Amino acid sequence: MTSSTRGNPARPLARDAFTRAETYAATRLPVERASTLIPDAYTSADFFALEQERVFAASWVPVCVRDELPEPGSYLVVEVAGRSVVVCRNREGELRAHHNVCRHRGAQLLDPGESGRAERFFQCPYHAWAYDLDGACLGTPLFTPKAGIPQDQRDAFDMSGVEAFDKADHGLHAVRVDSWGALVLVCLDPDAPELEHELGDLPGRLAGHRLDEHRLLRRVEYSIDANWKLVAENFMEYYHLPWVHPGLVKVSPLKDHYRWQGAGLYMGFCTTPIAANTDSGGWQGLPALPSLDEDDRTSARFAWLFPNVAINALPNHTFLMLLRPTEAGHTEEVTYLLAHPESADAAGAGLDGEVDALLRFWDEVNREDIGIVERVQRGLANTAYTGGRMCYRFEDSVHRFQNIVVDRMLGVRRVPEGDAEPSVPMFAKP
């Protein structure tokens, strides 16, 4: 490692350093000798811009849950790597995604963050070009009388006889879209492998939870003054639990944490067995999904699916944390509380109360995490800090995550292998 990247507080690094392997030499070491990712990865606007292209524009990125697109014609507008994308269901209820830009003069068809239901088509507000839900160009202003063209002037706008103009060549630019479990994901890179390649064995490991059948019960948004990677790394390590989460550690005892890592673009761990609720709350409440086997019925499964979503799969509910990076030091987070209909129905009249109690517990934990990652973000702005040693036993998942980030910054596409054992205890048993 050169003196400018490790052991010398001179920062920020030059932009071209972020695509050189030697910049990350200390993070590439085995975890017992490795140091953390360079601080500029969390603070530099140049790193953030490259990361948007090399990570988010090249990955399968979760953008919402299925229940946010409940029926044919449902749509929402999301931003991925600086591109505005319309995700929708066509008339047959199939998922579709399109770049949110008219093929005529480039106007955005829909406003950022907009959602709703389109009866038949999307229409550009500039010159009224219209596109069906599958992205096909339906026509010029004469396609619909709603365009406001007086009857006696419509012939002037008729393009049917224009040479070399074919509506079939002017459909919306498509974006790849897929789903897994409750998640809807898009991929801007036409050459990236299929989603299943990156998921690896995670769908099999969580198959008993029947995540694709879960229904959305609550949705909460948070604004975080920290880099998205700090939020991710905080989720996937247990080292901080005793000091940051006094309530959580009571229902998720350290001695019951296991590394639960298979082959795939994710970081996995679990808590087993799940402890009973305390006075400050916990994960129990809703009835467990009856179809789970004994292991899943008594365990909490956690996975960070690269790049930007946490999956907390409990026997009686699922809690998702979806990150939307906006700049190097800021992240918008959307959380979703879901449950399988069998668990929800079994709760009967007490469903709302149990769901509210679960949400209060998750909210408390999440706000504790937000407070600490914002503190880390402020600390990383101090140029005296150039990186720290990994705690090999408890931060192996962070090491795995950071090396996936490094892979992408260097143009490497790799799916890490899993452990030889299904689960490995992370703390010594008494």
Side-chain angles (χ1 to χ4, degrees):
M1 180 63 63
T2 64
S3 61
S4 64
T5 58
R6 190 70 68 177
N8 185 324
R11 286 169 52 197
L13 299 178
R15 182 185 176 99
D16 62 355
F18 301 141
T19 57
R20 296 201 303 261
E22 58 266 27
T23 300
Y24 308 104
T27 304
R28 289 302 216 186
L29 294 171
V31 63
E32 61 271 16
R33 294 189 290 118
S35 293
T36 57
L37 199 58
I38 56 172
D40 299 72
Y42 307 90
T43 61
S44 166
D46 284 342
F47 189 97
F48 181 81
L50 278 171
E51 183 180 66
Q52 288 290 291
E53 294 304 313
R54 299 196 172 202
V55 174
F56 285 89
S59 300
W60 282 97
V61 178
V63 293
C64 66
V65 297
R66 286 181 172 186
D67 276 2
E68 291 181 287
L69 298 168
E71 59 184 336
S74 296
Y75 69 88
L76 55 83
V77 181
V78 298
E79 184 171 301
V80 179
R83 283 79 153 177
S84 184
V85 176
V86 180
V87 187
C88 65
R89 291 193 185 274
N90 66 10
R91 292 187 183 184
E92 289 71 43
E94 300 164 329
L95 287 170
R96 294 289 185 266
H98 319 287
H99 284 281
N100 182 24
V101 57
C102 180
R103 292 295 306 277
H104 176 217
R105 294 274 295 280
Q108 285 192 337
L109 301 173
L110 301 164
D111 293 331
E114 183 178 342
S115 62
R117 184 174 183 274
E119 290 293 336
R120 295 172 56 201
F121 54 81
F122 302 115
Q123 189 171 57
C124 179
Y126 196 5
H127 297 100
W129 281 39
Y131 305 89
D132 72 14
L133 299 168
D134 288 300
C137 180
L138 296 176
T140 62
L142 288 182
F143 172 73
T144 170
K146 294 181 181 179
I149 307 300
Q151 184 70 39
D152 62 353
Q153 298 180 39
R154 289 187 179 182
D155 288 345
F157 289 86
D158 185 4
M159 296 181 66
S160 60
V162 175
E163 186 177 354
F165 181 82
D166 187 343
K167 289 183 294 185
D169 297 330
H170 293 79
L172 296 177
H173 290 298
V175 174
R176 298 169 70 188
V177 62
D178 206 342
S179 65
W180 170 68
L183 292 168
V184 176
L185 308 93
V186 301
C187 182
L188 300 177
D189 184 355
D191 299 320
E194 297 297 325
L195 174 61
E196 63 183 14
H197 175 75
E198 298 193 353
L199 291 174
D201 66 2
L202 186 59
R205 286 187 161 220
L206 292 175
H209 290 267
R210 296 152 61 188
L211 296 179
D212 59 327
E213 300 172 17
H214 277 50
R215 300 273 69 86
L216 178 60
L217 301 177
R218 298 286 191 277
R219 181 185 187 278
V220 181
E221 298 184 10
Y222 300 86
S223 183
I224 305 174
D225 288 327
N227 186 272
W228 71 277
K229 294 186 295 298
L230 292 180
V231 183
E233 293 165 7
N234 177 79
F235 167 83
M236 65 186 68
E237 57 98 337
Y238 341 111
Y239 193 15
H240 70 285
L241 262 62
W243 302 280
V244 178
H245 299 301
L248 176 60
V249 78
K250 294 177 183 177
V251 299
S252 185
L254 296 181
K255 65 182 180 63
D256 296 327
H257 277 74
Y258 291 78
R259 179 179 160 98
W260 185 73
Q261 183 61 67
L265 215 60
Y266 71 95
M267 282 49 65
F269 60 100
C270 70
T271 300
T272 185
I274 298 172
N277 290 4
T278 67
D279 291 341
S280 58
W283 292 324
Q284 297 184 359
L286 288 178
L289 183 60
S291 58
L292 292 173
D293 63 23
E294 180 62 24
D295 283 346
D296 284 336
R297 194 161 50 248
T298 57
S299 302
R301 311 294 191 189
F302 307 102
W304 188 275
L305 180 60
F306 190 84
N308 65 319
V309 70
I311 302 164
N312 302 272
L314 284 296
N316 57 349
H317 72 283
T318 299
F319 189 72
L320 304 177
M321 302 159 58
L322 192 155
L323 305 186
R324 296 173 175 165
T326 60
E327 55 186 277
H330 187 79
T331 304
E332 295 296 321
E333 179 183 69
V334 184
T335 64
Y336 302 93
L337 180 60
L338 309 98
H340 194 279
E342 292 179 20
S343 294
D345 292 345
L351 175 62
D352 285 344
E354 296 294 355
V355 171
D356 288 344
L358 284 172
L359 191 61
R360 281 195 300 271
F361 184 72
W362 279 115
D363 180 72
E364 179 181 354
V365 172
N366 205 33
R367 291 185 186 279
E368 290 169 347
D369 283 329
I370 290 172
I372 202 66
V373 299
E374 289 183 337
R375 180 180 287 262
V376 175
Q377 185 72 35
R378 295 193 297 270
L380 289 174
N382 188 325
T383 57
Y385 179 76
T386 57
R389 282 290 295 271
M390 291 279 189
C391 182
Y392 76 95
R393 189 170 185 183
F394 308 133
E395 295 180 306
D396 186 70
S397 53
V398 175
H399 183 253
R400 179 181 173 99
F401 172 79
Q402 292 186 353
N403 274 275
I404 296 174
V405 172
V406 172
D407 282 346
R408 294 301 180 87
M409 297 302 285
L410 300 179
V412 176
R413 186 176 286 277
R414 175 182 64 95
V415 174
E417 297 179 354
D419 296 335
E421 299 295 327
S423 62
V424 179
M426 300 305 297
F427 293 82
K429 295 291 183 180

